mmCIF file of all heavy atoms in Angstrom:
data_model
loop_
_atom_site.group_PDB
_atom_site.id
_atom_site.type_symbol
_atom_site.label_atom_id
_atom_site.label_comp_id
_atom_site.label_asym_id
_atom_site.label_seq_id
_atom_site.Cartn_x
_atom_site.Cartn_y
_atom_site.Cartn_z
ATOM 1 N N ALA C 213 53.116 44.977 -70.903
ATOM 2 C CA ALA C 213 54.160 45.277 -71.914
ATOM 3 C C ALA C 213 55.579 45.253 -71.302
ATOM 4 O O ALA C 213 56.428 44.567 -71.890
ATOM 5 C CB ALA C 213 53.854 46.587 -72.600
ATOM 6 N N PRO C 214 55.992 45.909 -70.260
ATOM 7 C CA PRO C 214 55.319 46.929 -69.500
ATOM 8 C C PRO C 214 55.659 48.323 -70.067
ATOM 9 O O PRO C 214 56.753 48.543 -70.558
ATOM 10 C CB PRO C 214 55.895 46.778 -68.102
ATOM 11 C CG PRO C 214 57.312 46.317 -68.403
ATOM 12 C CD PRO C 214 57.337 45.589 -69.726
ATOM 13 N N LEU C 222 58.727 44.616 -63.153
ATOM 14 C CA LEU C 222 59.541 43.983 -64.179
ATOM 15 C C LEU C 222 60.855 43.406 -63.667
ATOM 16 O O LEU C 222 61.128 42.186 -63.813
ATOM 17 C CB LEU C 222 59.776 44.981 -65.272
ATOM 18 C CG LEU C 222 60.776 44.617 -66.372
ATOM 19 C CD1 LEU C 222 60.031 44.515 -67.691
ATOM 20 C CD2 LEU C 222 61.862 45.619 -66.467
ATOM 21 N N VAL C 223 61.643 44.225 -63.023
ATOM 22 C CA VAL C 223 62.986 43.743 -62.706
ATOM 23 C C VAL C 223 62.984 42.596 -61.708
ATOM 24 O O VAL C 223 63.687 41.597 -61.910
ATOM 25 C CB VAL C 223 63.788 44.911 -62.086
ATOM 26 C CG1 VAL C 223 65.219 44.465 -61.871
ATOM 27 C CG2 VAL C 223 63.808 46.052 -63.066
ATOM 28 N N TYR C 226 61.860 39.438 -63.512
ATOM 29 C CA TYR C 226 62.853 38.938 -64.465
ATOM 30 C C TYR C 226 64.072 38.378 -63.732
ATOM 31 O O TYR C 226 64.692 37.472 -64.183
ATOM 32 C CB TYR C 226 63.288 39.988 -65.462
ATOM 33 C CG TYR C 226 62.270 40.323 -66.534
ATOM 34 C CD1 TYR C 226 60.941 39.847 -66.424
ATOM 35 C CD2 TYR C 226 62.568 41.082 -67.617
ATOM 36 C CE1 TYR C 226 60.003 40.126 -67.373
ATOM 37 C CE2 TYR C 226 61.632 41.391 -68.584
ATOM 38 C CZ TYR C 226 60.327 40.909 -68.501
ATOM 39 O OH TYR C 226 59.403 41.185 -69.467
ATOM 40 N N SER C 238 59.816 37.667 -70.948
ATOM 41 C CA SER C 238 60.211 38.897 -71.659
ATOM 42 C C SER C 238 60.039 38.736 -73.188
ATOM 43 O O SER C 238 59.680 39.672 -73.864
ATOM 44 C CB SER C 238 61.645 39.245 -71.328
ATOM 45 O OG SER C 238 62.502 38.435 -72.062
ATOM 46 N N SER C 242 55.249 39.393 -72.969
ATOM 47 C CA SER C 242 55.046 40.828 -73.195
ATOM 48 C C SER C 242 54.395 41.096 -74.564
ATOM 49 O O SER C 242 53.767 42.136 -74.736
ATOM 50 C CB SER C 242 56.391 41.520 -73.111
ATOM 51 O OG SER C 242 57.277 41.022 -74.094
ATOM 52 N N LYS C 243 54.517 40.137 -75.443
ATOM 53 C CA LYS C 243 53.909 40.370 -76.764
ATOM 54 C C LYS C 243 52.381 40.204 -76.785
ATOM 55 O O LYS C 243 51.700 40.611 -77.720
ATOM 56 C CB LYS C 243 54.534 39.432 -77.838
ATOM 57 C CG LYS C 243 56.048 39.523 -77.902
ATOM 58 C CD LYS C 243 56.516 40.931 -78.153
ATOM 59 C CE LYS C 243 58.039 41.058 -78.122
ATOM 60 N NZ LYS C 243 58.565 40.842 -76.815
ATOM 61 N N GLY C 275 59.559 55.439 -71.581
ATOM 62 C CA GLY C 275 59.958 54.072 -71.277
ATOM 63 C C GLY C 275 61.202 53.678 -72.041
ATOM 64 O O GLY C 275 62.115 53.031 -71.506
ATOM 65 N N LEU C 276 61.246 54.045 -73.320
ATOM 66 C CA LEU C 276 62.400 53.714 -74.146
ATOM 67 C C LEU C 276 63.675 54.360 -73.584
ATOM 68 O O LEU C 276 64.679 53.643 -73.371
ATOM 69 C CB LEU C 276 62.107 54.216 -75.610
ATOM 70 C CG LEU C 276 63.241 54.165 -76.571
ATOM 71 C CD1 LEU C 276 63.761 52.746 -76.706
ATOM 72 C CD2 LEU C 276 62.763 54.687 -77.958
ATOM 73 N N VAL C 277 63.614 55.662 -73.315
ATOM 74 C CA VAL C 277 64.783 56.347 -72.875
ATOM 75 C C VAL C 277 65.172 55.873 -71.480
ATOM 76 O O VAL C 277 66.321 55.525 -71.206
ATOM 77 C CB VAL C 277 64.574 57.874 -72.884
ATOM 78 C CG1 VAL C 277 65.783 58.611 -72.289
ATOM 79 C CG2 VAL C 277 64.302 58.320 -74.331
ATOM 80 N N TYR C 278 64.211 55.867 -70.586
ATOM 81 C CA TYR C 278 64.420 55.494 -69.222
ATOM 82 C C TYR C 278 64.937 54.069 -69.104
ATOM 83 O O TYR C 278 65.927 53.807 -68.391
ATOM 84 C CB TYR C 278 63.103 55.674 -68.435
ATOM 85 C CG TYR C 278 63.219 55.429 -66.948
ATOM 86 C CD1 TYR C 278 64.004 56.245 -66.144
ATOM 87 C CD2 TYR C 278 62.412 54.443 -66.382
ATOM 88 C CE1 TYR C 278 64.083 56.005 -64.779
ATOM 89 C CE2 TYR C 278 62.478 54.233 -65.002
ATOM 90 C CZ TYR C 278 63.302 55.011 -64.252
ATOM 91 O OH TYR C 278 63.345 54.803 -62.879
ATOM 92 N N GLY C 279 64.309 53.173 -69.838
ATOM 93 C CA GLY C 279 64.733 51.771 -69.848
ATOM 94 C C GLY C 279 66.190 51.669 -70.299
ATOM 95 O O GLY C 279 66.987 50.905 -69.739
ATOM 96 N N SER C 280 66.505 52.377 -71.367
ATOM 97 C CA SER C 280 67.878 52.308 -71.906
ATOM 98 C C SER C 280 68.882 52.802 -70.884
ATOM 99 O O SER C 280 69.923 52.222 -70.685
ATOM 100 C CB SER C 280 67.983 53.159 -73.183
ATOM 101 O OG SER C 280 67.047 52.697 -74.088
ATOM 102 N N LEU C 281 68.540 53.925 -70.243
ATOM 103 C CA LEU C 281 69.434 54.481 -69.197
ATOM 104 C C LEU C 281 69.622 53.510 -68.091
ATOM 105 O O LEU C 281 70.739 53.227 -67.631
ATOM 106 C CB LEU C 281 68.905 55.790 -68.645
ATOM 107 C CG LEU C 281 69.034 57.015 -69.603
ATOM 108 C CD1 LEU C 281 68.288 58.198 -69.047
ATOM 109 C CD2 LEU C 281 70.459 57.314 -69.826
ATOM 110 N N LEU C 282 68.501 52.914 -67.629
ATOM 111 C CA LEU C 282 68.632 51.903 -66.535
ATOM 112 C C LEU C 282 69.481 50.739 -66.970
ATOM 113 O O LEU C 282 70.289 50.218 -66.205
ATOM 114 C CB LEU C 282 67.217 51.420 -66.088
ATOM 115 C CG LEU C 282 66.380 52.443 -65.292
ATOM 116 C CD1 LEU C 282 65.013 51.842 -65.021
ATOM 117 C CD2 LEU C 282 67.086 52.738 -63.965
ATOM 118 N N ALA C 283 69.265 50.302 -68.207
ATOM 119 C CA ALA C 283 70.017 49.176 -68.701
ATOM 120 C C ALA C 283 71.515 49.513 -68.735
ATOM 121 O O ALA C 283 72.380 48.695 -68.431
ATOM 122 C CB ALA C 283 69.559 48.793 -70.107
ATOM 123 N N PHE C 284 71.810 50.765 -69.082
ATOM 124 C CA PHE C 284 73.155 51.200 -69.115
ATOM 125 C C PHE C 284 73.793 51.212 -67.738
ATOM 126 O O PHE C 284 74.996 50.930 -67.589
ATOM 127 C CB PHE C 284 73.212 52.598 -69.740
ATOM 128 C CG PHE C 284 74.615 53.040 -70.053
ATOM 129 C CD1 PHE C 284 75.318 52.413 -71.097
ATOM 130 C CD2 PHE C 284 75.252 54.031 -69.351
ATOM 131 C CE1 PHE C 284 76.561 52.795 -71.431
ATOM 132 C CE2 PHE C 284 76.522 54.416 -69.668
ATOM 133 C CZ PHE C 284 77.196 53.759 -70.726
ATOM 134 N N ARG C 285 72.992 51.457 -66.720
ATOM 135 C CA ARG C 285 73.517 51.518 -65.362
ATOM 136 C C ARG C 285 73.454 50.160 -64.616
ATOM 137 O O ARG C 285 74.039 50.040 -63.550
ATOM 138 C CB ARG C 285 72.782 52.559 -64.550
ATOM 139 C CG ARG C 285 73.042 53.974 -64.931
ATOM 140 C CD ARG C 285 72.503 54.915 -63.904
ATOM 141 N NE ARG C 285 72.857 54.475 -62.578
ATOM 142 C CZ ARG C 285 72.097 54.622 -61.487
ATOM 143 N NH1 ARG C 285 70.928 55.262 -61.580
ATOM 144 N NH2 ARG C 285 72.513 54.243 -60.325
ATOM 145 N N ALA C 286 72.736 49.245 -65.199
ATOM 146 C CA ALA C 286 72.519 47.971 -64.513
ATOM 147 C C ALA C 286 73.855 47.244 -64.349
ATOM 148 O O ALA C 286 74.781 47.408 -65.138
ATOM 149 C CB ALA C 286 71.516 47.094 -65.269
ATOM 150 N N ASP C 288 74.197 43.696 -63.811
ATOM 151 C CA ASP C 288 74.321 42.282 -64.134
ATOM 152 C C ASP C 288 73.556 41.972 -65.430
ATOM 153 O O ASP C 288 72.798 42.804 -65.941
ATOM 154 C CB ASP C 288 73.779 41.411 -62.974
ATOM 155 C CG ASP C 288 72.358 41.751 -62.620
ATOM 156 O OD1 ASP C 288 72.149 42.787 -61.953
ATOM 157 O OD2 ASP C 288 71.498 41.001 -62.999
ATOM 158 N N VAL C 289 73.844 40.813 -65.998
ATOM 159 C CA VAL C 289 73.365 40.441 -67.289
ATOM 160 C C VAL C 289 71.837 40.493 -67.329
ATOM 161 O O VAL C 289 71.240 41.046 -68.233
ATOM 162 C CB VAL C 289 73.884 39.042 -67.686
ATOM 163 C CG1 VAL C 289 73.344 38.704 -69.089
ATOM 164 C CG2 VAL C 289 75.369 39.000 -67.634
ATOM 165 N N ARG C 290 71.241 39.909 -66.290
ATOM 166 C CA ARG C 290 69.774 39.799 -66.271
ATOM 167 C C ARG C 290 69.123 41.197 -66.210
ATOM 168 O O ARG C 290 68.162 41.459 -66.912
ATOM 169 C CB ARG C 290 69.323 39.001 -65.048
ATOM 170 C CG ARG C 290 69.462 37.543 -65.229
ATOM 171 C CD ARG C 290 68.355 36.908 -64.466
ATOM 172 N NE ARG C 290 68.579 35.502 -64.304
ATOM 173 C CZ ARG C 290 67.645 34.672 -63.866
ATOM 174 N NH1 ARG C 290 66.476 35.164 -63.558
ATOM 175 N NH2 ARG C 290 67.920 33.405 -63.735
ATOM 176 N N SER C 291 69.659 42.048 -65.418
ATOM 177 C CA SER C 291 69.051 43.367 -65.274
ATOM 178 C C SER C 291 69.187 44.148 -66.619
ATOM 179 O O SER C 291 68.242 44.796 -67.034
ATOM 180 C CB SER C 291 69.708 44.181 -64.180
ATOM 181 O OG SER C 291 69.586 43.489 -62.945
ATOM 182 N N VAL C 292 70.367 44.019 -67.239
ATOM 183 C CA VAL C 292 70.504 44.690 -68.519
ATOM 184 C C VAL C 292 69.482 44.204 -69.498
ATOM 185 O O VAL C 292 68.763 44.961 -70.154
ATOM 186 C CB VAL C 292 71.913 44.461 -69.106
ATOM 187 C CG1 VAL C 292 71.995 44.982 -70.538
ATOM 188 C CG2 VAL C 292 72.967 45.126 -68.245
ATOM 189 N N THR C 293 69.294 42.873 -69.566
ATOM 190 C CA THR C 293 68.336 42.324 -70.489
ATOM 191 C C THR C 293 66.938 42.765 -70.130
ATOM 192 O O THR C 293 66.126 43.079 -70.997
ATOM 193 C CB THR C 293 68.421 40.810 -70.483
ATOM 194 O OG1 THR C 293 69.823 40.432 -70.380
ATOM 195 C CG2 THR C 293 67.841 40.229 -71.748
ATOM 196 N N ALA C 294 66.644 42.800 -68.822
ATOM 197 C CA ALA C 294 65.310 43.182 -68.361
ATOM 198 C C ALA C 294 64.987 44.607 -68.791
ATOM 199 O O ALA C 294 63.946 44.862 -69.374
ATOM 200 C CB ALA C 294 65.204 43.014 -66.853
ATOM 201 N N TYR C 295 65.923 45.498 -68.469
ATOM 202 C CA TYR C 295 65.659 46.930 -68.789
ATOM 203 C C TYR C 295 65.646 47.168 -70.304
ATOM 204 O O TYR C 295 64.857 47.986 -70.796
ATOM 205 C CB TYR C 295 66.671 47.819 -68.110
ATOM 206 C CG TYR C 295 66.444 47.938 -66.629
ATOM 207 C CD1 TYR C 295 67.424 47.628 -65.688
ATOM 208 C CD2 TYR C 295 65.222 48.395 -66.172
ATOM 209 C CE1 TYR C 295 67.197 47.741 -64.324
ATOM 210 C CE2 TYR C 295 64.946 48.507 -64.814
ATOM 211 C CZ TYR C 295 65.957 48.212 -63.888
ATOM 212 O OH TYR C 295 65.714 48.291 -62.570
ATOM 213 N N SER C 296 66.512 46.429 -70.987
ATOM 214 C CA SER C 296 66.487 46.597 -72.433
ATOM 215 C C SER C 296 65.187 46.119 -73.007
ATOM 216 O O SER C 296 64.654 46.669 -74.015
ATOM 217 C CB SER C 296 67.675 45.879 -73.109
ATOM 218 O OG SER C 296 67.335 44.555 -73.337
ATOM 219 N N SER C 297 64.624 45.119 -72.365
ATOM 220 C CA SER C 297 63.333 44.628 -72.770
ATOM 221 C C SER C 297 62.268 45.689 -72.619
ATOM 222 O O SER C 297 61.416 45.917 -73.492
ATOM 223 C CB SER C 297 62.987 43.412 -71.872
ATOM 224 O OG SER C 297 62.266 42.506 -72.547
ATOM 225 N N MET C 298 62.345 46.391 -71.513
ATOM 226 C CA MET C 298 61.396 47.463 -71.253
ATOM 227 C C MET C 298 61.551 48.515 -72.298
ATOM 228 O O MET C 298 60.561 49.079 -72.857
ATOM 229 C CB MET C 298 61.623 48.010 -69.857
ATOM 230 C CG MET C 298 60.813 49.248 -69.540
ATOM 231 S SD MET C 298 61.279 49.810 -67.896
ATOM 232 C CE MET C 298 60.691 51.473 -67.993
ATOM 233 N N ALA C 299 62.820 48.853 -72.609
ATOM 234 C CA ALA C 299 63.064 49.882 -73.615
ATOM 235 C C ALA C 299 62.502 49.469 -74.971
ATOM 236 O O ALA C 299 61.865 50.230 -75.665
ATOM 237 C CB ALA C 299 64.584 50.172 -73.706
ATOM 238 N N GLN C 300 62.771 48.209 -75.325
ATOM 239 C CA GLN C 300 62.333 47.742 -76.634
ATOM 240 C C GLN C 300 60.776 47.721 -76.707
ATOM 241 O O GLN C 300 60.221 48.049 -77.733
ATOM 242 C CB GLN C 300 62.826 46.313 -76.851
ATOM 243 C CG GLN C 300 64.299 46.229 -77.053
ATOM 244 C CD GLN C 300 64.688 46.762 -78.413
ATOM 245 O OE1 GLN C 300 63.968 46.580 -79.411
ATOM 246 N NE2 GLN C 300 65.822 47.469 -78.493
ATOM 247 N N MET C 301 60.096 47.379 -75.607
ATOM 248 C CA MET C 301 58.648 47.410 -75.611
ATOM 249 C C MET C 301 58.158 48.830 -75.828
ATOM 250 O O MET C 301 57.161 49.081 -76.496
ATOM 251 C CB MET C 301 58.076 46.835 -74.327
ATOM 252 C CG MET C 301 58.196 45.327 -74.227
ATOM 253 S SD MET C 301 57.670 44.396 -75.674
ATOM 254 C CE MET C 301 55.894 44.804 -75.660
ATOM 255 N N GLY C 302 58.890 49.797 -75.236
ATOM 256 C CA GLY C 302 58.519 51.191 -75.479
ATOM 257 C C GLY C 302 58.619 51.500 -76.962
ATOM 258 O O GLY C 302 57.723 52.121 -77.550
ATOM 259 N N LEU C 303 59.669 51.046 -77.565
ATOM 260 C CA LEU C 303 59.844 51.270 -79.021
ATOM 261 C C LEU C 303 58.714 50.638 -79.809
ATOM 262 O O LEU C 303 58.172 51.230 -80.765
ATOM 263 C CB LEU C 303 61.222 50.700 -79.460
ATOM 264 C CG LEU C 303 61.700 51.065 -80.810
ATOM 265 C CD1 LEU C 303 61.988 52.550 -80.861
ATOM 266 C CD2 LEU C 303 62.947 50.291 -81.155
ATOM 267 N N ILE C 304 58.365 49.399 -79.434
ATOM 268 C CA ILE C 304 57.330 48.709 -80.180
ATOM 269 C C ILE C 304 56.011 49.404 -80.067
ATOM 270 O O ILE C 304 55.250 49.559 -81.028
ATOM 271 C CB ILE C 304 57.250 47.209 -79.669
ATOM 272 C CG1 ILE C 304 58.492 46.455 -80.128
ATOM 273 C CG2 ILE C 304 56.000 46.545 -80.208
ATOM 274 C CD1 ILE C 304 58.648 45.115 -79.468
ATOM 275 N N GLN C 322 59.679 43.911 -85.108
ATOM 276 C CA GLN C 322 60.529 44.129 -83.913
ATOM 277 C C GLN C 322 60.078 43.242 -82.766
ATOM 278 O O GLN C 322 60.853 42.768 -81.955
ATOM 279 C CB GLN C 322 60.474 45.590 -83.530
ATOM 280 C CG GLN C 322 61.426 45.951 -82.400
ATOM 281 C CD GLN C 322 62.883 45.766 -82.755
ATOM 282 O OE1 GLN C 322 63.208 45.443 -83.930
ATOM 283 N NE2 GLN C 322 63.757 45.909 -81.801
ATOM 284 N N HIS C 326 62.739 41.050 -81.129
ATOM 285 C CA HIS C 326 63.049 41.231 -79.722
ATOM 286 C C HIS C 326 62.756 40.020 -78.916
ATOM 287 O O HIS C 326 63.487 39.651 -78.017
ATOM 288 C CB HIS C 326 62.303 42.462 -79.173
ATOM 289 C CG HIS C 326 62.394 42.502 -77.666
ATOM 290 N ND1 HIS C 326 61.264 42.233 -76.904
ATOM 291 C CD2 HIS C 326 63.390 42.702 -76.826
ATOM 292 C CE1 HIS C 326 61.627 42.316 -75.627
ATOM 293 N NE2 HIS C 326 62.885 42.612 -75.567
ATOM 294 N N GLY C 327 61.656 39.347 -79.240
ATOM 295 C CA GLY C 327 61.299 38.113 -78.513
ATOM 296 C C GLY C 327 62.435 37.120 -78.584
ATOM 297 O O GLY C 327 62.825 36.552 -77.591
ATOM 298 N N VAL C 329 65.622 37.662 -79.442
ATOM 299 C CA VAL C 329 66.878 38.182 -78.840
ATOM 300 C C VAL C 329 66.828 38.049 -77.328
ATOM 301 O O VAL C 329 67.770 37.527 -76.671
ATOM 302 C CB VAL C 329 67.119 39.668 -79.264
ATOM 303 C CG1 VAL C 329 68.151 40.282 -78.368
ATOM 304 C CG2 VAL C 329 67.463 39.744 -80.724
ATOM 305 N N SER C 330 65.713 38.572 -76.781
ATOM 306 C CA SER C 330 65.654 38.611 -75.334
ATOM 307 C C SER C 330 65.604 37.226 -74.710
ATOM 308 O O SER C 330 66.219 36.942 -73.706
ATOM 309 C CB SER C 330 64.477 39.483 -74.990
ATOM 310 O OG SER C 330 63.834 39.039 -73.867
ATOM 311 N N ALA C 331 64.891 36.316 -75.406
ATOM 312 C CA ALA C 331 64.832 34.929 -74.898
ATOM 313 C C ALA C 331 66.221 34.308 -74.914
ATOM 314 O O ALA C 331 66.693 33.710 -73.965
ATOM 315 C CB ALA C 331 63.902 34.087 -75.769
ATOM 316 N N LEU C 333 69.079 35.856 -74.806
ATOM 317 C CA LEU C 333 69.931 36.474 -73.773
ATOM 318 C C LEU C 333 69.621 35.918 -72.395
ATOM 319 O O LEU C 333 70.564 35.644 -71.620
ATOM 320 C CB LEU C 333 69.762 38.000 -73.808
ATOM 321 C CG LEU C 333 70.562 38.714 -74.880
ATOM 322 C CD1 LEU C 333 70.177 40.183 -74.925
ATOM 323 C CD2 LEU C 333 72.056 38.553 -74.655
ATOM 324 N N PHE C 334 68.364 35.726 -72.101
ATOM 325 C CA PHE C 334 68.026 35.219 -70.764
ATOM 326 C C PHE C 334 68.515 33.757 -70.626
ATOM 327 O O PHE C 334 68.986 33.381 -69.578
ATOM 328 C CB PHE C 334 66.516 35.304 -70.497
ATOM 329 C CG PHE C 334 66.103 36.577 -69.894
ATOM 330 C CD1 PHE C 334 65.264 37.439 -70.539
ATOM 331 C CD2 PHE C 334 66.584 36.931 -68.621
ATOM 332 C CE1 PHE C 334 64.898 38.666 -69.961
ATOM 333 C CE2 PHE C 334 66.223 38.154 -68.050
ATOM 334 C CZ PHE C 334 65.394 38.989 -68.687
ATOM 335 N N GLY C 370 74.386 39.524 -79.215
ATOM 336 C CA GLY C 370 74.582 40.927 -78.784
ATOM 337 C C GLY C 370 74.614 41.855 -79.971
ATOM 338 O O GLY C 370 73.998 42.939 -79.948
ATOM 339 N N ALA C 373 71.230 42.377 -81.185
ATOM 340 C CA ALA C 373 70.485 43.178 -80.253
ATOM 341 C C ALA C 373 70.811 44.621 -80.378
ATOM 342 O O ALA C 373 69.981 45.496 -80.213
ATOM 343 C CB ALA C 373 70.731 42.675 -78.818
ATOM 344 N N LEU C 374 72.082 44.947 -80.641
ATOM 345 C CA LEU C 374 72.402 46.352 -80.766
ATOM 346 C C LEU C 374 72.121 46.929 -82.143
ATOM 347 O O LEU C 374 72.419 48.061 -82.450
ATOM 348 C CB LEU C 374 73.837 46.660 -80.305
ATOM 349 C CG LEU C 374 75.047 46.032 -81.028
ATOM 350 C CD1 LEU C 374 75.332 46.815 -82.296
ATOM 351 C CD2 LEU C 374 76.233 46.095 -80.100
ATOM 352 N N GLU C 385 63.675 48.392 -86.154
ATOM 353 C CA GLU C 385 63.770 49.729 -85.579
ATOM 354 C C GLU C 385 63.674 50.777 -86.663
ATOM 355 O O GLU C 385 63.076 51.822 -86.477
ATOM 356 C CB GLU C 385 65.120 49.839 -84.810
ATOM 357 C CG GLU C 385 65.094 49.086 -83.499
ATOM 358 C CD GLU C 385 66.361 49.070 -82.750
ATOM 359 O OE1 GLU C 385 67.329 49.781 -83.152
ATOM 360 O OE2 GLU C 385 66.491 48.317 -81.782
ATOM 361 N N ALA C 406 67.929 56.813 -78.384
ATOM 362 C CA ALA C 406 67.824 55.695 -77.480
ATOM 363 C C ALA C 406 68.503 54.470 -78.083
ATOM 364 O O ALA C 406 69.063 53.615 -77.384
ATOM 365 C CB ALA C 406 66.385 55.375 -77.147
ATOM 366 N N LEU C 409 72.002 54.476 -77.422
ATOM 367 C CA LEU C 409 72.220 54.011 -76.044
ATOM 368 C C LEU C 409 72.216 52.518 -75.978
ATOM 369 O O LEU C 409 73.025 51.875 -75.291
ATOM 370 C CB LEU C 409 71.095 54.618 -75.203
ATOM 371 C CG LEU C 409 71.470 55.082 -73.779
ATOM 372 C CD1 LEU C 409 72.668 56.027 -73.826
ATOM 373 C CD2 LEU C 409 70.285 55.748 -73.157
ATOM 374 N N ALA C 410 71.303 51.924 -76.743
ATOM 375 C CA ALA C 410 71.204 50.466 -76.763
ATOM 376 C C ALA C 410 72.482 49.826 -77.192
ATOM 377 O O ALA C 410 72.964 48.833 -76.593
ATOM 378 C CB ALA C 410 70.035 50.003 -77.687
ATOM 379 N N ALA C 411 73.061 50.399 -78.250
ATOM 380 C CA ALA C 411 74.333 49.867 -78.712
ATOM 381 C C ALA C 411 75.359 49.910 -77.575
ATOM 382 O O ALA C 411 76.151 48.967 -77.333
ATOM 383 C CB ALA C 411 74.799 50.717 -79.886
ATOM 384 N N MET C 412 75.335 50.993 -76.802
ATOM 385 C CA MET C 412 76.335 51.116 -75.755
ATOM 386 C C MET C 412 76.162 50.093 -74.676
ATOM 387 O O MET C 412 77.096 49.435 -74.219
ATOM 388 C CB MET C 412 76.299 52.517 -75.181
ATOM 389 C CG MET C 412 76.905 53.520 -76.185
ATOM 390 S SD MET C 412 76.461 55.191 -75.804
ATOM 391 C CE MET C 412 77.430 55.421 -74.303
ATOM 392 N N TYR C 413 74.915 49.874 -74.219
ATOM 393 C CA TYR C 413 74.779 48.918 -73.105
ATOM 394 C C TYR C 413 75.026 47.475 -73.540
ATOM 395 O O TYR C 413 75.533 46.674 -72.817
ATOM 396 C CB TYR C 413 73.490 49.106 -72.295
ATOM 397 C CG TYR C 413 72.135 48.891 -73.013
ATOM 398 C CD1 TYR C 413 71.769 47.621 -73.397
ATOM 399 C CD2 TYR C 413 71.286 49.944 -73.190
ATOM 400 C CE1 TYR C 413 70.504 47.423 -73.972
ATOM 401 C CE2 TYR C 413 70.052 49.764 -73.784
ATOM 402 C CZ TYR C 413 69.662 48.506 -74.177
ATOM 403 O OH TYR C 413 68.475 48.302 -74.736
ATOM 404 N N MET C 414 74.694 47.215 -74.840
ATOM 405 C CA MET C 414 74.951 45.842 -75.238
ATOM 406 C C MET C 414 76.434 45.569 -75.369
ATOM 407 O O MET C 414 76.922 44.519 -74.954
ATOM 408 C CB MET C 414 74.269 45.577 -76.623
ATOM 409 C CG MET C 414 72.812 45.238 -76.615
ATOM 410 S SD MET C 414 72.260 44.244 -75.207
ATOM 411 C CE MET C 414 73.003 42.709 -75.532
ATOM 412 N N LEU C 417 77.764 45.045 -72.033
ATOM 413 C CA LEU C 417 77.467 43.677 -71.554
ATOM 414 C C LEU C 417 78.477 42.687 -72.111
ATOM 415 O O LEU C 417 79.069 41.863 -71.393
ATOM 416 C CB LEU C 417 76.045 43.300 -71.935
ATOM 417 C CG LEU C 417 75.465 41.995 -71.422
ATOM 418 C CD1 LEU C 417 73.940 42.150 -71.295
ATOM 419 C CD2 LEU C 417 75.754 40.792 -72.275
#
Side-chain angles (χ1 to χ4, degrees):
Chain C
L222 172 116
V223 183
Y226 284 12
S238 78
S242 59
K243 304 305 176 291
L276 171 57
V277 175
Y278 183 62
S280 302
L281 286 172
L282 286 175
F284 191 69
R285 289 192 47 212
D288 57 283
V289 180
R290 281 214 195 193
S291 301
V292 171
T293 321
Y295 286 124
S296 85
S297 212
M298 174 183 160
Q300 290 289 323
M301 287 311 294
L303 191 67
I304 290 169
Q322 185 64 6
H326 166 252
V329 166
S330 145
L333 279 174
F334 271 117
L374 63 78
E385 286 174 9
L409 217 52
M412 288 163 70
Y413 64 69
M414 278 324 291
L417 187 151

